Amino acid sequence: MSWRQTKDAPFFVGYLNAVPKPLVTFLAVFSLCFAGGLGLAALALSSTQNDPGNGGFQWGNRFEHVGLLELRPYPVLRVPADGDTPARTYMLAGQGKRGVFEQAEANKGSPVSLRGVPVNRGDLTMIQVGGVEAAEARFEGGFPSDAVPLGRWKLTGEICDGKCYAGAMRPGRGLAHKACANLCLTGGIPPVFVSSGDVKGRNFFLMADSDGKLLGDELKPLLALYIEVEGDVEQLDDLMVFKADLSTARVLK
């Protein structure tokens, strides 16, 4: 005795017979609709997310310059003007989620040759340091100038870690990035304030406390939030430094 598939009962039993044509048609239509539905859901979800920006590592543009290492209060490399090229100040970070305080302390105020990889987003450039060596240099344009005070400002925006916001992570801001930013700042990555407005055309600022010193755990409750805070702004070549008075900070949302 054997069982055979009939037209009225298109039931599939793999070891007895082939897949009935009605089931083949149903499975084909279902598969196409399922795949199309997943694609539409992915498109709908992605369209509601904030643009992570176009920042990223500039692997094909290796950085190597001679300049002065300074602590402002985070490590920066100041490259003096050279002819028509204006002076620049670069923020520095180490590999991964670490800063470069040891190298900066060992070479503070001395000419160095610094190698690394730029992480760039718009006007913000962070250098991931690969090596630092003492250099015998004569700066034809003179040593970097003093910081220029720009007065007291009330800024609105978000506190981020400068390396991720520049493009090491995408997104590098917002609640989705809060835990990562916390680790980076704890490891010594310089914090930046990303402002909704600008000061002399710049909307990101290397942060320090109101006395120009390192910030610590007082930053954590304010990370990844849209805040308003007052402080003094000074210009260090092309880099803005925001000496934030966190006692004035107010969470807006």
Side-chain angles (χ1 to χ4, degrees):
M1 180 178 179
S2 63
W3 186 89
R4 297 186 67 80
Q5 180 68 52
T6 67
K7 184 176 181 181
D8 296 333
F11 190 78
F12 172 61
V13 179
Y15 59 87
L16 290 179
N17 46 37
V19 180
K21 288 185 178 177
L23 286 183
V24 172
T25 303
F26 170 78
L27 290 173
V29 173
F30 176 82
S31 299
L32 289 174
C33 292
F34 184 72
L38 288 179
L40 290 174
L43 180 63
L45 287 174
S46 61
S47 64
T48 61
Q49 303 302 307
N50 295 327
D51 184 356
N54 58 357
F57 284 95
Q58 309 298 308
W59 296 109
N61 185 25
R62 303 285 294 184
F63 179 94
E64 183 166 4
H65 279 286
V66 174
L68 292 180
L69 263 179
E70 294 184 354
L71 290 169
R72 293 281 184 161
Y74 294 86
V76 296
L77 180 71
R78 303 193 66 191
V79 179
D82 184 10
D84 295 333
T85 303
R88 292 205 61 180
T89 297
Y90 297 94
M91 290 185 286
L92 305 177
Q95 304 284 332
K97 301 180 181 298
R98 294 180 299 172
V100 288
F101 283 94
E102 290 185 8
Q103 296 96 320
E105 287 284 358
N107 297 278
K108 185 170 58 178
S110 301
V112 297
S113 175
L114 187 145
R115 302 183 307 278
V117 178
V119 193
N120 177 260
R121 180 175 182 172
D123 294 330
L124 172 61
T125 300
M126 175 77 69
I127 305 299
Q128 177 175 281
V129 176
V132 178
E133 297 176 353
E136 295 293 334
R138 296 180 58 187
F139 300 115
E140 299 296 334
F143 280 85
S145 58
D146 294 334
V148 179
L150 299 179
R152 191 170 182 84
W153 292 74
K154 179 186 290 184
L155 301 176
T156 56
E158 180 182 332
I159 299 170
C160 304
D161 76 88
K163 185 177 180 182
C164 289
Y165 180 75
M169 294 289 286
R170 299 175 69 183
R173 63 185 305 180
L175 288 176
H177 183 254
K178 183 179 177 65
C180 180
N182 202 351
L183 283 175
C184 287
L185 297 185
T186 301
I189 302 291
V192 296
F193 191 81
V194 182
S195 174
S196 58
D198 69 90
V199 176
K200 297 190 70 173
R202 298 279 178 164
N203 68 347
F204 68 86
F205 306 81
L206 172 64
M207 293 190 71
D209 73 6
S210 56
D211 296 322
K213 298 179 181 177
L214 285 175
L215 289 160
D217 290 343
E218 64 270 30
L219 278 180
K220 293 181 179 178
L222 301 172
L223 281 176
L225 300 173
Y226 189 66
I227 66 171
E228 175 187 86
V229 62
E230 294 183 28
D232 295 318
V233 175
E234 62 183 28
Q235 184 171 1
L236 201 61
D237 303 325
D238 61 331
L239 179 67
M240 297 294 181
V241 180
F242 184 32
K243 296 180 178 177
D245 181 359
L246 294 185
S247 65
T248 67
R250 185 165 67 96
V251 177
L252 301 179
K253 62 180 180 182

